[in-house]
C-alpha cells in the first residue's frame, strides 16, 4: 500500500513539535510528508520557522547518536523525501492578531532558545529563506553550500506557503494528498480563495480545532474564552471559510464581510457556479483531544530507559516539556489532587497525525454535523455552532434562493443543501495508549514497552 501523502500546516508550538516528530518518525510505507507549511499562531511566524529548523537539527543529531550506539536511525520518511518548508501567513485575515506565547513561551518552546542558546542551531539557516544573490564569490558560494549541508533534511522555499500548497495539489493526482492543519487555518483559506478547484483536489483536510460540546480553552494573554478553542479563535474567518467548503453551497455559510476591517478581503466563493465537489473535513476538537494526555511521570520514566537516556531528542524535548508541564499545572489548578498536581500535556495536535498514520483503523469514530464558525460575536469569536434543537434536517427541492427560507429557520439549518457537513472525531483507537505510542515511535527504545 502506498504511503499517505500529507502536508502539515502548523504554528509550532510545543504540541505541534510533538506532532511533527510523530509524523517524521513514521515508516516510509506509512507517510510521505510533502511539505511543512508555517503560519502565525502560538507565536509569530519567524519563531515558528526557527522551531522547525531546530526540530530538523535535532532529528539529525538523534540519527547520528543512534547510529553511533548501534541502533536503527529511524525517521525513515526523511530517507525518501526532503519536505519543503515554506513560510505562510503572518497575521489573521481580518481580526486583531492574538498569540499563545503565555503558554508556549515567547519563542514557542518555553523560552529555551533564550535560556539555552547554545542548544539552538546557528542562525546562518536564515540565508536559506532569502533569494540567492545573482553573483557570489567562491567564498560566499562555499559558505552557502555549507549551510545547506548543515540543514540537509528539508528543502527551503522562497514561495509563500499557500502557493506551494497549491503547486503540490496540482502535481499530485486528485484525492491523494491530505492536509493536516494544526494551527489557524489562514494558509488554507488563502489557498482555497486563490484557486478553489485546485484546493479541492485534496483528499481530506484534517483539522485540530474548535470545541463542539466541550468548553473553550485559554486564549492569548491568559484570558479565558468560554466557548472557543485557540486555533479557531486566532482566525475565525479563515476557519469559517474552510468549513464552508464542506457545504453544497459554500457561499451560504461564508462569514460576513466586516465593514470596519481595513485589510484586503479574500474573494467569496462563487454562487452562480457550483464547485466540483465538497471538501472532506475531519475535525479533531477539544471534545476529543483533551482526554489524550502525556503524563509528566510517564515521560520522565521513559527518558530514563537505557536506550533513550542521553539521546539528543530526549534531552531537547525534556527541556521544553518540563517547562510546559509546570505551566499547565499553574494554569489548571483544578487538576490539583491532595495538593499534588497531576502534571501532563494534552496531545491536541499529535492526535491528528495519529489519524493520518492509520486512517483506516475502524476504531476512529466520527459524527457528521452542520458545524459553523462564529466570526463576529463579542464573546463568541471562534465558537463552533451546532443546531441542538432536534428539528429534522431535509434535502430541499428546486434552486436555492433567499425566498426559499423556511419560516423560523434563519440560516438554513433545516435544509441540508444550505449547511456545512463536518465530520468530527468522537473516539480514537485508545485514549490511554496514545502517550505510549508517541513515546515509543519518537524516542523508540527498541524494547517492548
Amino acid at each position: 500500500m502506498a504511503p499517505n501523502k500529507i502536508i502539515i500546516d502548523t504554528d509550532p508550538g510545543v504540541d505541534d513539535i510533538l506532532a511533527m516528530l510523530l509524523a517524521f518518525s513514521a515508516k516510509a510505507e506509512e507517510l510521505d510528508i510533502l511539505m511543512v507549511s508555517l503560519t502565525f499562531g502560538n507565536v509569530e511566524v519567524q519563531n515558528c520557522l526557527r522551531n522547525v529548523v531546530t526540530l530538523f537539527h535535532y532529528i539529525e543529531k538523534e540519527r547520528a547518536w543512534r547510529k553511533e550506539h548501534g541502533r536503527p536511525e529511524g525517521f525513515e520518511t526523511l530517507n525518501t523525501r526532503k519536505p519543503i518548508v515554506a513560510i505562510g501567513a503572518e497575521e489573521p485575515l481580518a481580526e486583531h492578531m492574538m498569540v499563545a506565547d503565555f503558554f508556549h513561551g515567547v519563542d514557542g518552546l518555553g523560552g529555551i532558545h533564550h535560556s539555552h542558546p547554545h542548544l539552538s542551531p546557528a542562525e546562518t539557516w536564515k540565508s536559506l529563506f532569502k533569494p540567492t544573490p545573482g553573483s557570489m564569490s567562491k567564498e560566499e558560494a562555499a559558505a552557502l553550500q555549507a549551510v545547506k549541508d548543515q540543514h540537509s533534511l528539508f528543502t527551503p522555499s522562497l514561495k509563500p506557503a499557500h502557493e506551494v500548497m497549491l503547486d503540490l495539489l496540482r502535481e499530485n493526482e486528485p484525492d491523494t494528498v491530505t492536509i493536516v492543519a494544526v494551527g489557524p487555518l489562514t494558509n488554507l483559506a488563502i489557498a482555497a480563495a486563490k484557486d478553489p478547484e485546485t484546493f479541492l483536489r485534496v483528499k481530506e483536510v484534517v483539522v485540530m480545532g474548535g470545541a463542539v460540546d466541550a468548553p473553550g480553552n485559554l486564549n492569548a494573554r491568559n484570558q479565558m474564552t468560554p466557548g472557543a478553542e485557540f486555533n479557531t479563535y486566532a482566525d475565525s474567518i479563515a476557519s469559517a471559510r474552510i468549513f464552508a467548503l464542506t457545504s453544497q453551497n459554500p457561499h451560504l455559510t461564508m462569514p460576513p464581510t466586516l465593514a470596519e476591517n481595513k485589510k484586503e478581503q479574500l474573494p467569496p466563493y462563487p454562487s452562480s457556479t457550483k464547485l466540483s465537489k465538497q471538501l472532506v473535513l475531519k475535525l479533531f476538537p477539544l471534545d476529543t483531544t483533551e482526554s489524550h494526555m502525556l503524563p509528566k511521570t510517564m515521560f520522565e520514566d521513559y527518558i530514563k530507559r537505557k536506550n533513550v537516556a542521553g539521546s539528543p531528542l530526549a534531552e531537547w524535548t525534556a527541556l521544553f516539556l518540563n517547562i510546559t508541564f509546570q505551566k499547565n499545572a499553574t494554569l489548571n489548578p483544578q487538576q490539583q489532587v491532595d495538593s499534588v498536581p497531576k502534571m501532563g500535556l494534552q496531545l491536541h495536535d499529535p492526535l491528528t497525525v495519529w489519524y493520518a498514520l492509520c486512517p483506516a483503523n475502524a476504531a476512529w469514530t466520527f459524527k457528521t454535523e452542520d458545524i459553523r464558525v462564529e466570526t463576529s460575536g463579542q464573546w463568541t469569536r471562534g465558537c463552533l455552532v451546532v443546531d441542538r434543537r432536534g428539528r429534522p434536517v431535509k434535502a430541499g427541492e428546486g434552486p436555492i434562493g433567499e425566498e426559499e427560507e423556511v419560516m423560523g429557520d434563519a440560516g438554513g439549518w433545516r435544509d441540508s443543501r444550505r449547511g456545512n457537513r463536518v465530520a468530527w472525531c468522537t473516539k480514537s483507537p485508545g485514549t490511554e495508549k496514545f502517550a505510549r505510542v508517541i513515546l515509543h515511535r519518537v524516542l523508540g527504545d527498541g524494547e517492548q514497552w
Side-chain angles (χ1 to χ4, degrees), residues 216-237:
N217 62 356
L218 286 168
N219 69 25
R221 308 305 171 200
N222 203 13
Q223 299 167 335
M224 291 297 291
T225 172
E229 175 274 334
F230 177 78
N231 287 340
T232 55
Y233 181 89
D235 195 340
S236 64
I237 291 177

Side-chain angles (χ1 to χ4, degrees), residues 195-400:
D195 190 343
E197 285 296 347
T198 295
F199 186 79
L200 288 173
R201 291 169 65 92
V202 72
K203 179 180 179 180
E204 60 184 4
V205 173
V206 180
V207 173
M208 190 281 124
V212 181
D213 294 318
N217 62 356
L218 286 168
N219 69 25
R221 308 305 171 200
N222 203 13
Q223 299 167 335
M224 291 297 291
T225 172
E229 175 274 334
F230 177 78
N231 287 340
T232 55
Y233 181 89
D235 195 340
S236 64
I237 291 177
S239 293
R241 291 183 67 102
I242 293 301
F243 280 41
L245 286 174
T246 68
S247 172
Q248 293 182 44
N249 296 275
H251 67 284
L252 295 178
T253 59
M254 282 277 286
T257 299
L258 303 181
E260 70 277 11
N261 173 38
K262 303 301 181 183
K263 297 181 186 178
E264 182 180 353
Q265 292 286 327
L266 295 181
Y269 299 132
S271 58
S272 57
T273 56
K274 294 195 70 171
L275 295 173
S276 61
K277 59 178 284 193
Q278 293 168 250
L279 177 68
V280 176
L281 195 155
K282 299 288 179 65
L283 182 69
F284 287 74
L286 295 179
D287 308 62
T288 305
T289 62
E290 284 195 328
S291 61
H292 294 75
M293 296 283 296
L294 172 60
K296 179 176 183 287
T297 53
M298 180 187 290
F299 175 74
E300 290 176 338
D301 288 346
Y302 199 90
I303 62 174
K304 292 175 184 175
R305 296 170 71 85
K306 67 178 183 180
N307 289 325
V308 175
S311 83
L313 263 185
E315 294 187 344
W316 181 59
T317 55
L319 276 177
F320 61 80
L321 281 177
N322 283 330
I323 295 169
T324 306
F325 291 143
Q326 294 288 346
K327 174 64 72 172
N328 215 3
T330 301
L331 294 174
N332 295 280
Q334 71 275 16
Q335 292 183 351
Q336 301 271 348
V337 178
D338 296 328
S339 299
V340 178
K342 295 168 61 179
M343 292 185 188
L345 174 69
Q346 291 159 328
L347 298 170
H348 302 294
D349 296 343
L351 194 63
T352 62
V353 173
W354 196 21
Y355 169 76
L357 282 164
C358 56
N361 189 321
W364 292 109
T365 305
F366 291 87
K367 181 179 182 180
T368 301
E369 294 190 282
D370 181 357
I371 301 178
R372 309 186 197 181
V373 183
E374 176 59 68
T375 60
S376 57
Q378 179 179 1
W379 310 115
T380 56
R381 165 181 160 184
C383 286
L384 302 189
V385 181
V386 181
D387 189 350
R388 297 297 185 212
R389 293 173 292 181
R391 299 180 179 183
V393 177
K394 299 180 180 179
E397 298 179 357
I400 293 276

Side-chain angles (χ1 to χ4, degrees), residues 75-266:
F75 300 96
E76 295 178 12
T77 58
L78 297 171
N79 293 334
T80 55
R81 185 188 298 272
K82 296 178 180 180
I84 299 168
V85 173
I87 305 167
E90 297 183 356
E91 60 182 359
L93 295 178
E95 298 123 333
H96 178 66
M97 181 171 166
M98 305 288 274
V99 294
D101 54 3
F102 76 95
F103 180 78
H104 292 271
V106 293
D107 62 356
L109 292 178
I112 65 171
H113 289 293
H114 302 287
S115 62
H116 297 74
H118 59 290
L119 298 181
S120 300
E123 295 199 349
T124 51
W125 56 264
K126 290 184 176 180
S127 63
L128 301 176
F129 294 90
K130 297 177 181 178
T132 303
S135 60
M136 290 190 293
S137 66
K138 290 183 178 180
E139 292 77 13
E140 289 171 331
L144 180 59
Q145 185 59 51
V147 174
K148 291 180 179 178
D149 292 342
Q150 291 168 9
H151 301 281
S152 61
L153 294 183
F154 65 88
T155 304
S157 174
L158 299 182
K159 296 176 69 172
H162 73 274
E163 290 187 12
V164 180
M165 191 179 292
L166 290 172
D167 288 345
L168 289 169
L169 291 171
R170 291 187 192 101
E171 293 165 8
N172 288 274
E173 290 295 317
D175 301 317
T176 60
V177 177
T178 294
I179 298 176
V180 178
V182 293
L185 298 183
T186 316
N187 288 335
L188 279 67
I190 295 172
K194 183 173 183 179
D195 190 343
E197 285 296 347
T198 295
F199 186 79
L200 288 173
R201 291 169 65 92
V202 72
K203 179 180 179 180
E204 60 184 4
V205 173
V206 180
V207 173
M208 190 281 124
V212 181
D213 294 318
N217 62 356
L218 286 168
N219 69 25
R221 308 305 171 200
N222 203 13
Q223 299 167 335
M224 291 297 291
T225 172
E229 175 274 334
F230 177 78
N231 287 340
T232 55
Y233 181 89
D235 195 340
S236 64
I237 291 177
S239 293
R241 291 183 67 102
I242 293 301
F243 280 41
L245 286 174
T246 68
S247 172
Q248 293 182 44
N249 296 275
H251 67 284
L252 295 178
T253 59
M254 282 277 286
T257 299
L258 303 181
E260 70 277 11
N261 173 38
K262 303 301 181 183
K263 297 181 186 178
E264 182 180 353
Q265 292 286 327
L266 295 181

Side-chain angles (χ1 to χ4, degrees), residues 21 57-73 75 119 299-300 302-320 439-446:
L21 282 171
H57 174 71
Y58 273 92
I59 290 176
E60 276 194 303
K61 290 170 69 75
E62 178 74 9
R63 295 177 83 181
W65 183 87
R66 292 183 186 182
K67 185 176 182 180
E68 181 183 337
H69 287 76
R71 293 182 53 199
E73 294 182 18
F75 300 96
L119 298 181
F299 175 74
E300 290 176 338
Y302 199 90
I303 62 174
K304 292 175 184 175
R305 296 170 71 85
K306 67 178 183 180
N307 289 325
V308 175
S311 83
L313 263 185
E315 294 187 344
W316 181 59
T317 55
L319 276 177
F320 61 80
L439 288 173
H440 183 72
R441 278 181 171 265
V442 172
L443 299 173
D445 69 357

